[in-house]
Amino acid sequence: MDNVSQRLAEVRPAALDGDPAAVDLAAITAHPQPGPRRSAPRRSLVLAATAFAAAVAIAGLNQLTHPAGNPAPGPGQVPGATGPADARQVLLVAAERAALQGDGTDRYWHVTSQLGNRYDVGGYFVLGRTEIEEWLPTFAGGQVVKCGTSLGAEPASDADVAAWKAAGSPSTWTSRPPGGATGPGRELAAAPGQRKCGAGPEKTYQLGGADLAPAQVLELPADPAALKEMILSSDAAQRAGGGYQPQDLGRYQSEVLFSAAVELLLRLPVSAQVRSAAYTMLADLPGVTMSAQATDQLGRPGAGVEYTFRNADGSDQTTRLIVDLTTGAMLAEEHREAGTTALRYYVVVTETGFAPEAPAV
């Protein structure tokens, strides 16, 4: 497989931090995924009829907030428990809370997310941010409606601010192609852009090695063991001929299951019971650990859990998931090179739920 870091940068469309009208709206929500190590490039878990659905399916369009009188537990804490929690405890509590959420369904799954990506602009880095809104049909033949708004770019860290000032404080940038590749970079601006919307035909959701129609997504098993078996069996055909050694297969399967769980918890319009099963599946994976920090990029606190993927070149990349233990909602997904604090990209979910209709475009 190609180096994961390089692949993540290459598959990310310019629309995420540029003008959403500049490309097909179907590409707005294609974003890099933390994929398992493979001998050939893995199909990225890009969902054309999905994108950034969050963890809790609540009838109507509900903001992800803590219920009144029920404050969120502090980072690394389990409600009602004393002392530090481990990752398995946190994920099992999240599974319990997710299963308690209302489970109404409707014709569309609506989600609003913010995406951030770090770009090398020569001498320093800037963080580009985009708000994505989607209405995803849960029925055959429906249209996907997507809207994107660039929120602007800014220096990514204090050190980058200093370098930016030394460069004359520009308000526009051209990023360097990732991984030493040749060709044009991406155009970035400090000023926010206009909201642009478009519509496209329904496509399939990818989970593990399976391409699922909306009706199939709604019928995913809610039993953790059955869900795990479905994901691994659907991926087996894709893995055939990959040349995996027995000592590599366990780690590979854990990476497949972790990636699939993230899809279920952040992006797919599944039932509360399926989200609960995904958390339970995560809790049983080896290598999932508690995070030392658990505040998302919007400042919302939660419990953080991490998993480190092995790249083909031997380097590691860490994915951090931030969970609201009050509701069982997955708030955010963040990616860093392992052992560093430098954020490569993130997704935070701000609003999610089922809706009867999508806006006209």
Side-chain angles (χ1 to χ4, degrees), residues 136-165:
L136 309 171
T138 62
F139 57 95
Q143 281 202 319
V144 178
V145 176
K146 304 179 183 180
C147 300
T149 308
S150 172
L151 302 177
E154 61 184 11
S157 69
D158 291 342
D160 294 315
V161 169
W164 168 70
K165 290 180 178 177

Side-chain angles (χ1 to χ4, degrees), residues 306-329:
E306 293 185 349
Y307 186 84
T308 297
F309 287 83
R310 178 66 49 80
N311 295 334
D313 65 358
S315 64
D316 292 333
Q317 178 169 287
T318 297
T319 297
R320 172 185 292 161
L321 307 176
I322 300 177
V323 184
D324 180 345
L325 292 182
T326 300
T327 63

Side-chain angles (χ1 to χ4, degrees), residues 54-58 91-105 109 217-228 231 261 264-265 268-282 327-328 354:
V56 184
I58 305 172
L91 291 167
L92 290 177
V93 168
E96 178 185 347
R97 296 301 172 91
L100 296 175
Q101 301 304 314
D103 216 20
T105 60
W109 177 249
V217 172
L218 295 176
E219 295 172 356
L220 285 169
D223 174 73
L227 185 63
K228 176 180 177 179
I231 292 166
L264 292 166
L265 292 166
L268 273 70
V270 296
S271 69
Q273 286 71 33
V274 171
R275 279 188 299 280
S276 177
Y279 275 124
T280 302
M281 189 173 70
L282 274 179
T327 63
F354 286 100

Side-chain angles (χ1 to χ4, degrees), residues 18-23 25 28 131-133 135 145-150 193-199 361:
D19 182 355
V23 297
L25 262 291
I28 286 180
E131 182 179 78
I132 302 293
E133 300 169 85
W135 287 262
V145 176
K146 304 179 183 180
C147 300
T149 308
S150 172
Q194 292 185 339
R195 181 175 183 262
K196 301 292 178 65
C197 298
V361 175

Side-chain angles (χ1 to χ4, degrees), residues 111-153:
V111 62
T112 302
S113 301
Q114 184 184 120
L115 288 72
N117 196 78
R118 190 181 66 162
Y119 293 96
D120 181 353
V121 294
Y124 60 98
F125 294 91
V126 299
L127 184 68
R129 296 168 297 123
T130 303
E131 182 179 78
I132 302 293
E133 300 169 85
E134 291 192 295
W135 287 262
L136 309 171
T138 62
F139 57 95
Q143 281 202 319
V144 178
V145 176
K146 304 179 183 180
C147 300
T149 308
S150 172
L151 302 177

Side-chain angles (χ1 to χ4, degrees), residues 118 127 156-158 160 292-293 297 306 318 320 334-346:
R118 190 181 66 162
L127 184 68
S157 69
D158 291 342
D160 294 315
Q293 181 268 5
Q297 297 299 307
E306 293 185 349
T318 297
R320 172 185 292 161
E334 301 177 347
H335 297 264
R336 292 173 172 82
E337 296 302 322
T340 75
T341 59
L343 188 68
R344 284 187 53 79
Y345 74 92
Y346 68 84

